[in-house]
Coordinates of all heavy atoms in Angstrom, one line a residue:
A209 N -10.5 2.7 -12.8 CA -9.1 2.9 -13.4 C -9.1 3.9 -14.5 O -8.2 4.6 -14.8 CB -8.6 1.5 -14.0
R210 N -10.3 3.9 -15.3 CA -10.5 4.9 -16.4 C -10.4 6.4 -15.8 O -9.7 7.3 -16.4 CB -11.9 4.6 -17.1 CG -11.9 3.5 -18.0 CD -13.1 3.5 -18.8 NE -13.2 2.1 -19.3 CZ -14.0 1.2 -19.0 NH1 -14.8 1.4 -17.9 NH2 -14.1 -0.1 -19.4
R211 N -11.1 6.5 -14.5 CA -11.0 7.8 -13.9 C -9.7 8.3 -13.6 O -9.2 9.5 -13.7 CB -11.8 7.8 -12.7 CG -13.3 8.2 -12.9 CD -14.0 8.5 -11.6 NE -15.0 7.6 -11.2 CZ -15.5 7.3 -10.1 NH1 -15.0 8.0 -9.0 NH2 -16.2 6.3 -9.8
V212 N -8.8 7.3 -13.1 CA -7.5 7.6 -12.7 C -6.6 7.9 -13.9 O -5.9 8.9 -14.0 CB -6.8 6.3 -11.8 CG1 -5.2 6.5 -11.8 CG2 -7.4 6.1 -10.6
A213 N -6.8 7.2 -15.0 CA -6.1 7.3 -16.3 C -6.4 8.8 -16.7 O -5.5 9.6 -17.2 CB -6.5 6.4 -17.3
A214 N -7.7 9.1 -16.7 CA -8.0 10.5 -17.3 C -7.4 11.6 -16.4 O -6.9 12.6 -16.9 CB -9.6 10.6 -17.3
A215 N -7.4 11.4 -15.0 CA -6.9 12.5 -14.1 C -5.5 12.5 -14.2 O -5.0 13.6 -14.1 CB -7.3 12.1 -12.8
S216 N -4.7 11.6 -14.5 CA -3.3 11.6 -14.5 C -2.6 11.3 -15.9 O -1.5 11.1 -15.9 CB -2.6 10.8 -13.4 OG -3.2 9.9 -12.8
N217 N -3.3 11.5 -16.9 CA -2.8 11.3 -18.3 C -2.0 10.1 -18.4 O -1.0 10.0 -18.8 CB -1.9 12.5 -18.5 CG -1.3 12.5 -19.9 OD1 -2.0 12.0 -20.8 ND2 -0.2 13.3 -20.1
L218 N -2.7 9.0 -18.2 CA -2.2 7.6 -18.6 C -3.0 7.0 -19.6 O -4.2 7.3 -19.8 CB -2.4 6.7 -17.2 CG -2.0 7.1 -15.9 CD1 -2.3 6.2 -14.8 CD2 -0.5 7.5 -15.9
E219 N -2.4 6.1 -20.3 CA -3.1 5.4 -21.3 C -3.8 4.2 -20.7 O -3.2 3.6 -19.7 CB -2.1 4.8 -22.4 CG -1.8 5.9 -23.4 CD -0.7 5.3 -24.4 OE1 -0.9 4.1 -24.8 OE2 0.3 6.0 -24.7
I220 N -5.0 3.8 -21.1 CA -5.7 2.8 -20.5 C -6.4 2.0 -21.6 O -6.8 2.4 -22.7 CB -6.7 3.3 -19.5 CG1 -7.4 1.9 -18.9 CG2 -7.7 4.1 -20.1 CD1 -8.2 2.2 -17.6
E221 N -6.5 0.6 -21.4 CA -7.0 -0.3 -22.2 C -7.8 -1.4 -21.3 O -7.1 -1.9 -20.4 CB -6.1 -1.0 -23.1 CG -6.5 -1.6 -24.4 CD -5.3 -2.3 -25.1 OE1 -4.1 -2.0 -24.8 OE2 -5.6 -3.1 -26.1
V222 N -9.0 -1.7 -21.6 CA -9.7 -2.6 -20.7 C -10.2 -3.9 -21.7 O -10.9 -3.6 -22.6 CB -10.9 -2.0 -19.9 CG1 -11.6 -3.1 -19.2 CG2 -10.5 -0.9 -19.1
L223 N -9.7 -5.1 -21.2 CA -10.1 -6.2 -22.1 C -11.2 -6.9 -21.4 O -11.1 -7.2 -20.2 CB -8.9 -7.2 -22.2 CG -7.5 -6.7 -22.6 CD1 -6.6 -7.8 -23.2 CD2 -7.7 -5.6 -23.9
G224 N -12.3 -7.2 -22.2 CA -13.4 -8.0 -21.6 C -13.3 -9.5 -21.9 O -12.2 -9.9 -22.6
V225 N -14.3 -10.3 -21.8 CA -14.2 -11.7 -21.9 C -13.8 -12.0 -23.4 O -13.0 -13.0 -23.6 CB -15.6 -12.3 -21.6 CG1 -15.5 -13.9 -21.4 CG2 -16.2 -11.8 -20.5
E226 N -14.4 -11.3 -24.4 CA -14.1 -11.8 -25.8 C -12.7 -11.5 -26.1 O -12.0 -12.2 -26.7 CB -15.1 -11.0 -26.7 CG -16.5 -11.8 -26.8 CD -17.6 -10.9 -27.0 OE1 -17.4 -9.9 -27.7 OE2 -18.6 -11.3 -26.5
D227 N -12.2 -10.2 -25.6 CA -10.7 -9.9 -25.9 C -9.8 -10.9 -25.3 O -8.9 -11.3 -25.9 CB -10.5 -8.5 -25.2 CG -11.5 -7.5 -25.7 OD1 -11.8 -7.3 -26.9 OD2 -12.1 -6.9 -24.7
L228 N -10.3 -11.4 -24.0 CA -9.5 -12.3 -23.3 C -9.4 -13.6 -24.0 O -8.2 -14.3 -24.1 CB -9.9 -12.5 -21.8 CG -9.7 -11.3 -21.0 CD1 -10.5 -11.4 -19.7 CD2 -8.2 -11.0 -20.8
A229 N -10.4 -14.1 -24.6 CA -10.5 -15.3 -25.4 C -9.4 -15.2 -26.6 O -8.7 -16.1 -26.9 CB -11.9 -15.7 -25.9
E230 N -9.6 -14.0 -27.2 CA -8.8 -13.7 -28.4 C -7.3 -13.9 -28.1 O -6.5 -14.4 -28.9 CB -9.1 -12.3 -28.8 CG -9.0 -12.1 -30.4 CD -9.9 -11.0 -30.9 OE1 -11.1 -11.1 -30.9 OE2 -9.1 -10.0 -31.1
I231 N -6.8 -13.3 -27.0 CA -5.3 -13.4 -26.7 C -5.0 -14.7 -26.0 O -3.8 -14.8 -25.6 CB -4.9 -12.2 -25.8 CG1 -5.5 -12.1 -24.6 CG2 -5.1 -10.9 -26.8 CD1 -5.0 -11.1 -23.6
G232 N -5.9 -15.5 -25.8 CA -5.6 -16.9 -25.2 C -5.4 -16.9 -23.7 O -4.6 -17.7 -23.2
A233 N -6.1 -15.9 -23.0 CA -5.9 -15.8 -21.6 C -7.0 -16.7 -21.0 O -7.8 -16.4 -20.3 CB -6.1 -14.3 -21.2
G234 N -6.6 -18.1 -21.1 CA -7.5 -19.0 -20.5 C -7.6 -19.2 -19.1 O -8.7 -19.7 -18.5
A235 N -6.7 -18.7 -18.3 CA -6.7 -18.8 -16.8 C -7.6 -17.8 -16.2 O -8.6 -18.2 -15.5 CB -5.4 -18.8 -16.3
I236 N -7.4 -16.4 -16.6 CA -8.2 -15.5 -16.0 C -9.8 -15.7 -16.5 O -10.7 -15.5 -15.7 CB -7.9 -14.0 -16.2 CG1 -8.8 -13.0 -15.4 CG2 -7.8 -13.7 -17.6 CD1 -8.3 -11.6 -15.5
T237 N -10.0 -16.2 -17.7 CA -11.2 -16.3 -18.3 C -11.9 -17.5 -17.4 O -13.2 -17.4 -17.1 CB -11.1 -16.9 -19.7 OG1 -10.3 -15.9 -20.3 CG2 -12.4 -17.0 -20.3
A238 N -11.2 -18.5 -17.1 CA -11.9 -19.7 -16.3 C -12.3 -19.1 -14.9 O -13.3 -19.5 -14.4 CB -10.9 -20.7 -16.2
V239 N -11.4 -18.3 -14.3 CA -11.8 -17.9 -12.9 C -13.1 -17.0 -12.9 O -13.9 -17.1 -12.1 CB -10.6 -17.2 -12.4 CG1 -11.0 -16.6 -11.0 CG2 -9.4 -18.0 -12.1
G240 N -13.2 -16.2 -13.9 CA -14.3 -15.3 -14.1 C -15.5 -15.8 -14.6 O -16.6 -15.2 -14.5
R241 N -15.5 -17.1 -15.1 CA -16.6 -17.6 -15.8 C -17.9 -17.8 -14.9 O -19.0 -17.7 -15.4 CB -16.3 -18.9 -16.4 CG -17.4 -19.4 -17.4 CD -16.9 -20.0 -18.7 NE -15.7 -20.9 -18.5 CZ -14.6 -21.0 -19.3 NH1 -14.6 -20.2 -20.3 NH2 -13.7 -21.8 -18.9
G242 N -17.8 -18.0 -13.6 CA -18.7 -18.4 -12.8 C -19.6 -17.2 -12.3 O -20.7 -17.3 -11.7
S243 N -19.1 -16.0 -12.7 CA -19.9 -14.8 -12.2 C -20.5 -14.1 -13.4 O -20.1 -14.0 -14.5 CB -18.8 -13.8 -11.6 OG -19.4 -12.6 -11.3
A244 N -21.7 -13.5 -12.9 CA -22.4 -12.7 -13.9 C -21.6 -11.4 -14.3 O -21.8 -10.9 -15.3 CB -23.8 -12.3 -13.3
N245 N -20.7 -11.1 -13.4 CA -19.9 -9.8 -13.7 C -18.6 -10.3 -14.1 O -17.6 -10.8 -13.5 CB -19.6 -9.2 -12.3 CG -21.0 -8.7 -11.5 OD1 -21.8 -8.1 -12.1 ND2 -21.0 -9.3 -10.3
G246 N -18.5 -10.2 -15.5 CA -17.3 -10.9 -16.2 C -15.9 -10.3 -15.8 O -15.9 -9.2 -15.2

Side-chain angles (χ1 to χ4, degrees):
R210 287 187 194 102
R211 268 196 252 162
V212 167
S216 17
N217 187 22
L218 311 175
E219 282 175 41
I220 182 165
E221 195 182 350
V222 177
L223 310 195
V225 199
E226 279 151 31
D227 313 305
L228 289 168
E230 212 161 281
I231 62 169
I236 184 173
T237 307
V239 172
R241 187 146 38 221
S243 172
N245 307 307

